[in-house]
Short mmCIF file of all heavy atoms in Angstrom, two decimals:
data_model
loop_
_atom_site.label_atom_id
_atom_site.label_comp_id
_atom_site.label_asym_id
_atom_site.label_seq_id
_atom_site.Cartn_x
_atom_site.Cartn_y
_atom_site.Cartn_z
N MET A 1 -27.66 -9.08 -10.93
CA MET A 1 -26.35 -9.27 -10.34
C MET A 1 -26.05 -8.09 -9.40
O MET A 1 -26.28 -6.94 -9.74
CB MET A 1 -25.31 -9.35 -11.44
CG MET A 1 -23.95 -9.72 -10.97
SD MET A 1 -22.91 -10.04 -12.41
CE MET A 1 -21.35 -9.99 -11.64
N GLU A 2 -25.51 -8.38 -8.27
CA GLU A 2 -25.25 -7.36 -7.25
C GLU A 2 -24.00 -6.56 -7.61
O GLU A 2 -22.97 -7.11 -7.96
CB GLU A 2 -25.05 -8.06 -5.90
CG GLU A 2 -24.91 -7.12 -4.75
CD GLU A 2 -24.77 -7.87 -3.45
OE1 GLU A 2 -25.51 -8.84 -3.24
OE2 GLU A 2 -23.90 -7.49 -2.67
N GLN A 3 -24.11 -5.25 -7.55
CA GLN A 3 -22.97 -4.37 -7.86
C GLN A 3 -22.07 -4.24 -6.64
O GLN A 3 -22.53 -3.96 -5.55
CB GLN A 3 -23.47 -2.98 -8.26
CG GLN A 3 -24.05 -2.91 -9.64
CD GLN A 3 -22.96 -2.88 -10.71
OE1 GLN A 3 -21.77 -2.84 -10.41
NE2 GLN A 3 -23.38 -2.93 -11.95
N LYS A 4 -20.78 -4.44 -6.87
CA LYS A 4 -19.80 -4.23 -5.80
C LYS A 4 -19.31 -2.79 -5.87
O LYS A 4 -19.10 -2.25 -6.95
CB LYS A 4 -18.60 -5.16 -5.96
CG LYS A 4 -18.88 -6.59 -5.72
CD LYS A 4 -17.59 -7.37 -5.84
CE LYS A 4 -17.82 -8.85 -5.72
NZ LYS A 4 -16.58 -9.60 -5.90
N LYS A 5 -19.12 -2.18 -4.73
CA LYS A 5 -18.54 -0.84 -4.71
C LYS A 5 -17.03 -0.97 -4.89
O LYS A 5 -16.40 -1.88 -4.36
CB LYS A 5 -18.83 -0.16 -3.38
CG LYS A 5 -20.26 0.25 -3.20
CD LYS A 5 -20.41 1.04 -1.92
CE LYS A 5 -21.83 1.49 -1.75
NZ LYS A 5 -22.01 2.24 -0.51
N LYS A 6 -16.48 -0.04 -5.66
CA LYS A 6 -15.03 -0.03 -5.83
C LYS A 6 -14.39 0.43 -4.53
O LYS A 6 -14.93 1.26 -3.81
CB LYS A 6 -14.64 0.90 -6.96
CG LYS A 6 -15.04 0.37 -8.31
CD LYS A 6 -14.51 1.26 -9.40
CE LYS A 6 -14.89 0.68 -10.74
NZ LYS A 6 -14.37 1.47 -11.84
N LEU A 7 -13.22 -0.11 -4.26
CA LEU A 7 -12.49 0.27 -3.06
C LEU A 7 -11.89 1.66 -3.26
O LEU A 7 -11.08 1.87 -4.14
CB LEU A 7 -11.39 -0.74 -2.76
CG LEU A 7 -11.87 -2.15 -2.44
CD1 LEU A 7 -10.67 -3.09 -2.35
CD2 LEU A 7 -12.62 -2.15 -1.14
N ARG A 8 -12.33 2.59 -2.48
CA ARG A 8 -11.81 3.94 -2.63
C ARG A 8 -10.46 4.11 -1.93
O ARG A 8 -9.64 4.88 -2.36
CB ARG A 8 -12.81 4.94 -2.10
CG ARG A 8 -14.11 4.90 -2.84
CD ARG A 8 -14.95 6.12 -2.52
NE ARG A 8 -16.28 5.99 -3.05
CZ ARG A 8 -16.61 6.27 -4.28
NH1 ARG A 8 -15.70 6.66 -5.12
NH2 ARG A 8 -17.86 6.13 -4.70
N CYS A 9 -10.25 3.40 -0.87
CA CYS A 9 -8.99 3.52 -0.13
C CYS A 9 -8.54 2.11 0.26
O CYS A 9 -8.91 1.61 1.32
CB CYS A 9 -9.18 4.38 1.11
SG CYS A 9 -7.65 4.63 2.00
N PRO A 10 -7.76 1.44 -0.59
CA PRO A 10 -7.28 0.11 -0.25
C PRO A 10 -6.45 0.15 1.04
O PRO A 10 -5.76 1.13 1.30
CB PRO A 10 -6.40 -0.28 -1.43
CG PRO A 10 -6.85 0.60 -2.54
CD PRO A 10 -7.32 1.87 -1.91
N MET A 11 -6.55 -0.89 1.82
CA MET A 11 -5.90 -0.90 3.14
C MET A 11 -4.38 -0.85 3.06
O MET A 11 -3.72 -0.50 4.02
CB MET A 11 -6.34 -2.12 3.94
CG MET A 11 -7.78 -2.04 4.41
SD MET A 11 -8.18 -0.50 5.24
CE MET A 11 -7.14 -0.61 6.68
N GLY A 12 -3.80 -1.19 1.94
CA GLY A 12 -2.35 -1.12 1.82
C GLY A 12 -1.81 0.29 1.80
O GLY A 12 -0.68 0.55 2.19
N VAL A 13 -2.64 1.22 1.34
CA VAL A 13 -2.19 2.61 1.25
C VAL A 13 -1.94 3.20 2.63
O VAL A 13 -0.85 3.71 2.90
CB VAL A 13 -3.19 3.46 0.42
CG1 VAL A 13 -2.79 4.91 0.43
CG2 VAL A 13 -3.25 2.92 -0.99
N PRO A 14 -2.93 3.16 3.55
CA PRO A 14 -2.63 3.69 4.89
C PRO A 14 -1.52 2.90 5.59
O PRO A 14 -0.70 3.49 6.29
CB PRO A 14 -3.94 3.55 5.66
CG PRO A 14 -4.99 3.42 4.63
CD PRO A 14 -4.34 2.79 3.44
N GLY A 15 -1.47 1.59 5.37
CA GLY A 15 -0.42 0.79 5.98
C GLY A 15 0.96 1.17 5.48
O GLY A 15 1.91 1.25 6.25
N GLY A 16 1.08 1.40 4.18
CA GLY A 16 2.36 1.80 3.61
C GLY A 16 2.79 3.18 4.07
O GLY A 16 3.96 3.43 4.36
N ILE A 17 1.82 4.10 4.15
CA ILE A 17 2.14 5.45 4.62
C ILE A 17 2.56 5.42 6.08
O ILE A 17 3.53 6.10 6.47
CB ILE A 17 0.93 6.38 4.39
CG1 ILE A 17 0.72 6.58 2.90
CG2 ILE A 17 1.14 7.72 5.10
CD1 ILE A 17 -0.56 7.30 2.55
N ILE A 18 1.89 4.62 6.87
CA ILE A 18 2.27 4.49 8.28
C ILE A 18 3.66 3.88 8.40
O ILE A 18 4.47 4.31 9.23
CB ILE A 18 1.22 3.68 9.05
CG1 ILE A 18 -0.07 4.51 9.19
CG2 ILE A 18 1.73 3.26 10.43
CD1 ILE A 18 -1.25 3.74 9.73
N ALA A 19 3.97 2.88 7.55
CA ALA A 19 5.30 2.26 7.58
C ALA A 19 6.38 3.28 7.24
O ALA A 19 7.44 3.30 7.87
CB ALA A 19 5.36 1.07 6.61
N VAL A 20 6.12 4.13 6.26
CA VAL A 20 7.09 5.16 5.89
C VAL A 20 7.28 6.15 7.03
O VAL A 20 8.41 6.52 7.37
CB VAL A 20 6.64 5.88 4.59
CG1 VAL A 20 7.47 7.12 4.35
CG2 VAL A 20 6.75 4.95 3.40
N LEU A 21 6.18 6.57 7.64
CA LEU A 21 6.29 7.53 8.75
C LEU A 21 7.00 6.94 9.96
O LEU A 21 7.83 7.61 10.59
CB LEU A 21 4.90 8.04 9.14
CG LEU A 21 4.21 8.92 8.10
CD1 LEU A 21 2.80 9.26 8.56
CD2 LEU A 21 5.01 10.16 7.83
N ILE A 22 6.70 5.69 10.29
CA ILE A 22 7.38 5.03 11.42
C ILE A 22 8.86 4.86 11.09
O ILE A 22 9.72 5.07 11.95
CB ILE A 22 6.72 3.69 11.75
CG1 ILE A 22 5.34 3.93 12.36
CG2 ILE A 22 7.58 2.87 12.71
CD1 ILE A 22 4.53 2.66 12.57
N GLY A 23 9.16 4.49 9.85
CA GLY A 23 10.56 4.34 9.45
C GLY A 23 11.31 5.66 9.54
O GLY A 23 12.45 5.71 10.02
N LEU A 24 10.68 6.74 9.10
CA LEU A 24 11.33 8.05 9.16
C LEU A 24 11.54 8.49 10.61
O LEU A 24 12.62 8.99 10.96
CB LEU A 24 10.47 9.09 8.42
CG LEU A 24 11.04 10.47 8.27
CD1 LEU A 24 12.34 10.42 7.47
CD2 LEU A 24 10.04 11.37 7.58
N THR A 25 10.54 8.27 11.45
CA THR A 25 10.69 8.60 12.87
C THR A 25 11.79 7.75 13.51
O THR A 25 12.59 8.26 14.30
CB THR A 25 9.35 8.36 13.60
OG1 THR A 25 8.33 9.10 12.94
CG2 THR A 25 9.44 8.77 15.05
N GLY A 26 11.83 6.47 13.15
CA GLY A 26 12.87 5.59 13.68
C GLY A 26 14.26 5.99 13.24
O GLY A 26 15.22 5.90 14.00
N ILE A 27 14.37 6.44 11.98
CA ILE A 27 15.68 6.90 11.49
C ILE A 27 16.17 8.08 12.32
O ILE A 27 17.33 8.12 12.74
CB ILE A 27 15.59 7.27 9.99
CG1 ILE A 27 15.40 6.02 9.14
CG2 ILE A 27 16.83 8.04 9.54
CD1 ILE A 27 15.08 6.30 7.69
N ILE A 28 15.29 9.03 12.56
CA ILE A 28 15.68 10.21 13.34
C ILE A 28 16.02 9.83 14.78
O ILE A 28 17.07 10.22 15.30
CB ILE A 28 14.56 11.26 13.30
CG1 ILE A 28 14.40 11.79 11.87
CG2 ILE A 28 14.83 12.40 14.26
CD1 ILE A 28 13.15 12.61 11.64
N ALA A 29 15.15 9.04 15.41
CA ALA A 29 15.38 8.69 16.81
C ALA A 29 16.61 7.81 16.99
O ALA A 29 17.40 8.02 17.93
CB ALA A 29 14.15 7.97 17.37
N ASN A 30 16.81 6.84 16.12
CA ASN A 30 17.95 5.93 16.27
C ASN A 30 19.26 6.59 15.89
O ASN A 30 20.32 6.20 16.39
CB ASN A 30 17.73 4.67 15.44
CG ASN A 30 16.66 3.78 16.03
OD1 ASN A 30 16.62 3.57 17.23
ND2 ASN A 30 15.78 3.28 15.20
N SER A 31 19.24 7.58 15.00
CA SER A 31 20.49 8.27 14.68
C SER A 31 20.91 9.19 15.82
O SER A 31 22.11 9.39 16.05
CB SER A 31 20.35 9.05 13.37
OG SER A 31 19.37 10.05 13.50
N ILE A 32 19.93 9.74 16.55
CA ILE A 32 20.26 10.58 17.70
C ILE A 32 20.86 9.73 18.83
O ILE A 32 21.82 10.13 19.48
CB ILE A 32 19.01 11.33 18.19
CG1 ILE A 32 18.61 12.39 17.16
CG2 ILE A 32 19.23 11.97 19.56
CD1 ILE A 32 17.29 13.07 17.44
N CYS A 33 20.31 8.53 19.03
CA CYS A 33 20.76 7.65 20.13
C CYS A 33 21.92 6.74 19.72
O CYS A 33 22.38 5.94 20.54
CB CYS A 33 19.60 6.79 20.61
SG CYS A 33 18.24 7.74 21.29
N PHE A 34 22.38 6.81 18.48
CA PHE A 34 23.45 5.95 17.96
C PHE A 34 23.14 4.47 18.10
O PHE A 34 24.00 3.66 18.43
CB PHE A 34 24.80 6.28 18.65
CG PHE A 34 25.23 7.69 18.42
CD1 PHE A 34 25.17 8.61 19.46
CD2 PHE A 34 25.66 8.11 17.19
CE1 PHE A 34 25.55 9.92 19.26
CE2 PHE A 34 26.06 9.42 16.98
CZ PHE A 34 26.01 10.34 18.02
N ASN A 35 21.88 4.11 17.86
CA ASN A 35 21.46 2.72 17.88
C ASN A 35 21.51 2.21 16.43
O ASN A 35 20.59 2.41 15.64
CB ASN A 35 20.04 2.61 18.43
CG ASN A 35 19.56 1.20 18.54
OD1 ASN A 35 20.26 0.27 18.18
ND2 ASN A 35 18.34 1.03 19.02
N TRP A 36 22.62 1.53 16.07
CA TRP A 36 22.86 1.17 14.68
C TRP A 36 21.92 0.09 14.18
O TRP A 36 21.47 0.14 13.02
CB TRP A 36 24.31 0.76 14.49
CG TRP A 36 25.24 1.85 14.87
CD1 TRP A 36 26.13 1.85 15.91
CD2 TRP A 36 25.34 3.15 14.27
NE1 TRP A 36 26.79 3.06 15.98
CE2 TRP A 36 26.32 3.87 14.99
CE3 TRP A 36 24.71 3.77 13.21
CZ2 TRP A 36 26.68 5.17 14.66
CZ3 TRP A 36 25.06 5.08 12.88
CH2 TRP A 36 26.03 5.75 13.60
N LEU A 37 21.60 -0.90 15.00
CA LEU A 37 20.70 -1.97 14.57
C LEU A 37 19.29 -1.43 14.34
O LEU A 37 18.63 -1.75 13.35
CB LEU A 37 20.67 -3.09 15.62
CG LEU A 37 19.87 -4.33 15.24
CD1 LEU A 37 20.44 -4.96 13.98
CD2 LEU A 37 19.87 -5.32 16.37
N GLY A 38 18.83 -0.58 15.22
CA GLY A 38 17.53 0.05 15.05
C GLY A 38 17.50 0.98 13.84
O GLY A 38 16.49 1.10 13.15
N LEU A 39 18.62 1.63 13.58
CA LEU A 39 18.73 2.53 12.43
C LEU A 39 18.60 1.75 11.12
O LEU A 39 17.88 2.15 10.21
CB LEU A 39 20.05 3.30 12.47
CG LEU A 39 20.28 4.29 11.34
CD1 LEU A 39 19.24 5.40 11.38
CD2 LEU A 39 21.69 4.86 11.43
N ILE A 40 19.27 0.61 11.05
CA ILE A 40 19.19 -0.23 9.85
C ILE A 40 17.77 -0.74 9.65
O ILE A 40 17.24 -0.74 8.53
CB ILE A 40 20.20 -1.40 9.95
CG1 ILE A 40 21.63 -0.84 9.88
CG2 ILE A 40 19.97 -2.42 8.86
CD1 ILE A 40 22.69 -1.85 10.22
N THR A 41 17.13 -1.16 10.73
CA THR A 41 15.75 -1.64 10.65
C THR A 41 14.81 -0.51 10.22
O THR A 41 13.91 -0.73 9.40
CB THR A 41 15.31 -2.19 12.01
OG1 THR A 41 16.24 -3.19 12.44
CG2 THR A 41 13.93 -2.80 11.93
N SER A 42 15.00 0.67 10.72
CA SER A 42 14.16 1.80 10.35
C SER A 42 14.35 2.19 8.89
O SER A 42 13.38 2.54 8.20
CB SER A 42 14.46 3.00 11.24
OG SER A 42 14.14 2.70 12.58
N ILE A 43 15.58 2.14 8.42
CA ILE A 43 15.83 2.45 7.01
C ILE A 43 15.15 1.42 6.12
O ILE A 43 14.54 1.76 5.11
CB ILE A 43 17.35 2.52 6.73
CG1 ILE A 43 17.95 3.75 7.39
CG2 ILE A 43 17.64 2.53 5.23
CD1 ILE A 43 19.46 3.82 7.35
N ALA A 44 15.22 0.15 6.50
CA ALA A 44 14.56 -0.91 5.72
C ALA A 44 13.04 -0.70 5.70
O ALA A 44 12.40 -0.85 4.66
CB ALA A 44 14.91 -2.27 6.29
N LEU A 45 12.46 -0.37 6.84
CA LEU A 45 11.02 -0.12 6.91
C LEU A 45 10.64 1.09 6.07
O LEU A 45 9.63 1.07 5.36
CB LEU A 45 10.61 0.10 8.37
CG LEU A 45 9.12 0.27 8.65
CD1 LEU A 45 8.37 -0.99 8.24
CD2 LEU A 45 8.90 0.56 10.12
N PHE A 46 11.46 2.12 6.09
CA PHE A 46 11.21 3.32 5.29
C PHE A 46 11.25 3.00 3.79
O PHE A 46 10.41 3.47 3.02
CB PHE A 46 12.25 4.39 5.64
CG PHE A 46 12.11 5.65 4.85
CD1 PHE A 46 11.10 6.55 5.16
CD2 PHE A 46 12.98 5.95 3.82
CE1 PHE A 46 10.96 7.72 4.43
CE2 PHE A 46 12.85 7.12 3.11
CZ PHE A 46 11.84 8.01 3.41
N LEU A 47 12.22 2.19 3.38
CA LEU A 47 12.37 1.87 1.96
C LEU A 47 11.31 0.88 1.46
O LEU A 47 11.02 0.84 0.26
CB LEU A 47 13.77 1.33 1.69
CG LEU A 47 14.90 2.34 1.87
CD1 LEU A 47 16.24 1.66 1.66
CD2 LEU A 47 14.74 3.51 0.93
N LEU A 48 10.75 0.07 2.33
CA LEU A 48 9.73 -0.90 1.92
C LEU A 48 8.32 -0.33 1.90
O LEU A 48 7.44 -0.89 1.26
CB LEU A 48 9.77 -2.13 2.85
CG LEU A 48 10.95 -3.05 2.67
CD1 LEU A 48 10.95 -4.13 3.74
CD2 LEU A 48 10.93 -3.68 1.30
N GLY A 49 8.08 0.77 2.57
CA GLY A 49 6.74 1.34 2.64
C GLY A 49 6.22 1.83 1.30
O GLY A 49 5.06 1.59 0.95
N GLY A 50 7.03 2.51 0.54
CA GLY A 50 6.61 3.05 -0.76
C GLY A 50 6.22 2.00 -1.77
O GLY A 50 5.13 2.06 -2.35
N PRO A 51 7.08 1.01 -2.02
CA PRO A 51 6.69 -0.05 -2.96
C PRO A 51 5.47 -0.85 -2.49
O PRO A 51 4.69 -1.32 -3.31
CB PRO A 51 7.93 -0.96 -3.02
CG PRO A 51 9.05 -0.08 -2.65
CD PRO A 51 8.49 0.90 -1.66
N PHE A 52 5.28 -0.97 -1.19
CA PHE A 52 4.11 -1.68 -0.66
C PHE A 52 2.83 -0.96 -1.07
O PHE A 52 1.85 -1.60 -1.46
CB PHE A 52 4.22 -1.79 0.87
CG PHE A 52 3.12 -2.57 1.49
CD1 PHE A 52 3.05 -3.94 1.34
CD2 PHE A 52 2.13 -1.94 2.24
CE1 PHE A 52 2.04 -4.67 1.92
CE2 PHE A 52 1.12 -2.65 2.83
CZ PHE A 52 1.07 -4.03 2.67
N VAL A 53 2.84 0.37 -1.02
CA VAL A 53 1.68 1.15 -1.44
C VAL A 53 1.43 0.95 -2.93
O VAL A 53 0.31 0.73 -3.36
CB VAL A 53 1.90 2.65 -1.13
CG1 VAL A 53 0.81 3.50 -1.75
CG2 VAL A 53 1.95 2.88 0.37
N ARG A 54 2.47 1.01 -3.72
CA ARG A 54 2.33 0.88 -5.18
C ARG A 54 1.79 -0.49 -5.58
O ARG A 54 0.90 -0.59 -6.42
CB ARG A 54 3.68 1.15 -5.86
CG ARG A 54 3.63 1.04 -7.34
CD ARG A 54 2.83 2.18 -7.94
NE ARG A 54 2.76 1.99 -9.37
CZ ARG A 54 1.68 2.20 -10.08
NH1 ARG A 54 0.60 2.64 -9.52
NH2 ARG A 54 1.70 2.02 -11.37
N VAL A 55 2.33 -1.53 -5.00
CA VAL A 55 1.87 -2.89 -5.32
C VAL A 55 0.42 -3.07 -4.91
O VAL A 55 -0.38 -3.65 -5.65
CB VAL A 55 2.78 -3.95 -4.65
CG1 VAL A 55 2.17 -5.32 -4.71
CG2 VAL A 55 4.15 -3.94 -5.31
N THR A 56 0.05 -2.58 -3.77
CA THR A 56 -1.34 -2.70 -3.31
C THR A 56 -2.28 -1.96 -4.25
O THR A 56 -3.35 -2.47 -4.59
CB THR A 56 -1.48 -2.14 -1.89
OG1 THR A 56 -0.55 -2.82 -1.04
CG2 THR A 56 -2.87 -2.35 -1.36
N MET A 57 -1.90 -0.78 -4.70
CA MET A 57 -2.74 -0.03 -5.63
C MET A 57 -2.87 -0.76 -6.96
O MET A 57 -3.94 -0.79 -7.56
CB MET A 57 -2.17 1.37 -5.86
CG MET A 57 -2.32 2.29 -4.68
SD MET A 57 -4.02 2.59 -4.21
CE MET A 57 -4.62 3.44 -5.65
N MET A 58 -1.79 -1.38 -7.45
CA MET A 58 -1.85 -2.12 -8.70
C MET A 58 -2.78 -3.32 -8.58
O MET A 58 -3.56 -3.61 -9.49
CB MET A 58 -0.45 -2.58 -9.13
CG MET A 58 0.39 -1.46 -9.65
SD MET A 58 2.02 -1.91 -10.33
CE MET A 58 2.35 -3.53 -9.81
N ILE A 59 -2.71 -4.03 -7.46
CA ILE A 59 -3.56 -5.19 -7.26
C ILE A 59 -5.02 -4.79 -7.21
O ILE A 59 -5.88 -5.42 -7.84
CB ILE A 59 -3.15 -5.94 -5.97
CG1 ILE A 59 -1.79 -6.62 -6.17
CG2 ILE A 59 -4.21 -6.97 -5.58
CD1 ILE A 59 -1.20 -7.18 -4.91
N HIS A 60 -5.34 -3.73 -6.49
CA HIS A 60 -6.73 -3.30 -6.39
C HIS A 60 -7.27 -2.76 -7.71
O HIS A 60 -8.43 -2.98 -8.05
CB HIS A 60 -6.91 -2.27 -5.27
CG HIS A 60 -6.89 -2.90 -3.92
ND1 HIS A 60 -7.91 -3.69 -3.45
CD2 HIS A 60 -5.98 -2.88 -2.93
CE1 HIS A 60 -7.63 -4.12 -2.25
NE2 HIS A 60 -6.45 -3.64 -1.90
N SER A 61 -6.43 -2.07 -8.48
CA SER A 61 -6.90 -1.58 -9.78
C SER A 61 -7.11 -2.75 -10.74
O SER A 61 -8.06 -2.74 -11.54
CB SER A 61 -5.94 -0.56 -10.37
OG SER A 61 -4.70 -1.15 -10.67
N ALA A 62 -6.26 -3.78 -10.66
CA ALA A 62 -6.47 -4.97 -11.50
C ALA A 62 -7.75 -5.69 -11.10
O ALA A 62 -8.50 -6.16 -11.97
CB ALA A 62 -5.27 -5.90 -11.37
N ASN A 63 -8.04 -5.78 -9.82
CA ASN A 63 -9.28 -6.41 -9.37
C ASN A 63 -10.50 -5.63 -9.84
O ASN A 63 -11.52 -6.22 -10.22
CB ASN A 63 -9.31 -6.55 -7.85
CG ASN A 63 -8.45 -7.68 -7.36
OD1 ASN A 63 -8.16 -8.62 -8.10
ND2 ASN A 63 -8.02 -7.61 -6.11
N ASP A 64 -10.42 -4.30 -9.82
CA ASP A 64 -11.52 -3.48 -10.31
C ASP A 64 -11.75 -3.71 -11.81
O ASP A 64 -12.89 -3.78 -12.27
CB ASP A 64 -11.27 -2.00 -10.04
CG ASP A 64 -11.39 -1.65 -8.57
OD1 ASP A 64 -12.01 -2.44 -7.81
OD2 ASP A 64 -10.85 -0.60 -8.16
N ARG A 65 -10.66 -3.83 -12.57
CA ARG A 65 -10.79 -4.09 -14.01
C ARG A 65 -11.40 -5.46 -14.27
O ARG A 65 -12.23 -5.61 -15.16
CB ARG A 65 -9.42 -3.99 -14.69
CG ARG A 65 -8.90 -2.59 -14.77
CD ARG A 65 -7.61 -2.54 -15.52
NE ARG A 65 -6.96 -1.27 -15.29
CZ ARG A 65 -5.65 -1.11 -15.21
NH1 ARG A 65 -4.85 -2.14 -15.35
NH2 ARG A 65 -5.15 0.09 -14.98
N LEU A 66 -10.98 -6.46 -13.49
CA LEU A 66 -11.56 -7.79 -13.65
C LEU A 66 -13.05 -7.79 -13.31
O LEU A 66 -13.84 -8.44 -14.01
CB LEU A 66 -10.83 -8.80 -12.76
CG LEU A 66 -9.47 -9.26 -13.24
CD1 LEU A 66 -8.81 -10.15 -12.20
CD2 LEU A 66 -9.60 -10.02 -14.54
N ASP A 67 -13.43 -7.08 -12.29
CA ASP A 67 -14.85 -6.98 -11.95
C ASP A 67 -15.65 -6.33 -13.07
O ASP A 67 -16.75 -6.76 -13.39
CB ASP A 67 -15.04 -6.18 -10.65
CG ASP A 67 -14.57 -6.93 -9.43
OD1 ASP A 67 -14.43 -8.17 -9.50
OD2 ASP A 67 -14.35 -6.28 -8.39
N GLU A 68 -15.07 -5.32 -13.70
CA GLU A 68 -15.74 -4.65 -14.82
C GLU A 68 -15.89 -5.59 -16.01
O GLU A 68 -16.94 -5.64 -16.66
CB GLU A 68 -14.96 -3.39 -15.21
CG GLU A 68 -15.62 -2.55 -16.25
CD GLU A 68 -16.88 -1.88 -15.76
OE1 GLU A 68 -17.01 -1.65 -14.54
OE2 GLU A 68 -17.74 -1.59 -16.60
N LEU A 69 -14.84 -6.36 -16.29
CA LEU A 69 -14.90 -7.33 -17.41
C LEU A 69 -15.93 -8.41 -17.12
O LEU A 69 -16.66 -8.84 -18.02
CB LEU A 69 -13.52 -7.95 -17.66
CG LEU A 69 -12.48 -7.03 -18.31
CD1 LEU A 69 -11.14 -7.73 -18.35
CD2 LEU A 69 -12.93 -6.63 -19.70
N GLU A 70 -15.99 -8.89 -15.87
CA GLU A 70 -16.98 -9.91 -15.52
C GLU A 70 -18.39 -9.36 -15.63
O GLU A 70 -19.31 -10.05 -16.06
CB GLU A 70 -16.74 -10.40 -14.09
CG GLU A 70 -15.52 -11.27 -13.94
CD GLU A 70 -15.22 -11.63 -12.50
OE1 GLU A 70 -15.92 -11.13 -11.58
OE2 GLU A 70 -14.28 -12.41 -12.27
N ARG A 71 -18.56 -8.11 -15.27
CA ARG A 71 -19.88 -7.49 -15.38
C ARG A 71 -20.31 -7.37 -16.83
O ARG A 71 -21.44 -7.68 -17.20
CB ARG A 71 -19.88 -6.10 -14.72
CG ARG A 71 -21.27 -5.47 -14.66
CD ARG A 71 -21.21 -4.06 -14.12
NE ARG A 71 -20.41 -3.16 -14.93
CZ ARG A 71 -20.81 -2.59 -16.08
NH1 ARG A 71 -22.00 -2.84 -16.55
NH2 ARG A 71 -20.01 -1.78 -16.73
N LYS A 72 -19.37 -6.95 -17.71
CA LYS A 72 -19.69 -6.85 -19.14
C LYS A 72 -19.97 -8.21 -19.75
O LYS A 72 -20.83 -8.34 -20.60
CB LYS A 72 -18.55 -6.16 -19.87
CG LYS A 72 -18.47 -4.67 -19.63
CD LYS A 72 -17.36 -4.04 -20.42
CE LYS A 72 -17.29 -2.54 -20.13
NZ LYS A 72 -16.19 -1.92 -20.88
N ALA A 73 -19.21 -9.24 -19.33
CA ALA A 73 -19.43 -10.58 -19.86
C ALA A 73 -20.77 -11.14 -19.39
O ALA A 73 -21.41 -11.89 -20.11
CB ALA A 73 -18.29 -11.51 -19.43
N GLY A 74 -21.20 -10.78 -18.21
CA GLY A 74 -22.48 -11.24 -17.70
C GLY A 74 -23.67 -10.59 -18.38
O GLY A 74 -24.77 -11.15 -18.41
N GLU A 75 -23.47 -9.39 -18.92
CA GLU A 75 -24.57 -8.70 -19.58
C GLU A 75 -24.88 -9.28 -20.94
O GLU A 75 -25.99 -9.18 -21.43
CB GLU A 75 -24.22 -7.21 -19.74
CG GLU A 75 -24.22 -6.43 -18.44
CD GLU A 75 -23.78 -4.99 -18.64
OE1 GLU A 75 -23.41 -4.62 -19.78
OE2 GLU A 75 -23.81 -4.24 -17.66
N LYS A 76 -23.91 -9.89 -21.58
CA LYS A 76 -24.11 -10.43 -22.95
C LYS A 76 -24.90 -11.70 -22.97
O LYS A 76 -25.10 -12.45 -22.19
CB LYS A 76 -22.76 -10.66 -23.64
CG LYS A 76 -22.07 -9.35 -23.94
CD LYS A 76 -20.79 -9.59 -24.66
CE LYS A 76 -20.11 -8.27 -24.94
NZ LYS A 76 -18.87 -8.43 -25.64
#
């Protein structure tokens, strides 16, 4: 049976970090320019980035555990 490599850096992590950084930059820029709609959007993006990283990490760790269980079941 072919061994799969574990994902060392799931793609949700860089995406979530980028979302947080863009949201933070947007908050600063839109508060300086008094753009209220952009400010609300940036705050929402900032608040959604963190949970997105956490959920992605949970999904990938669950997939790694399932792969390990399937490997053990295949050995028996």
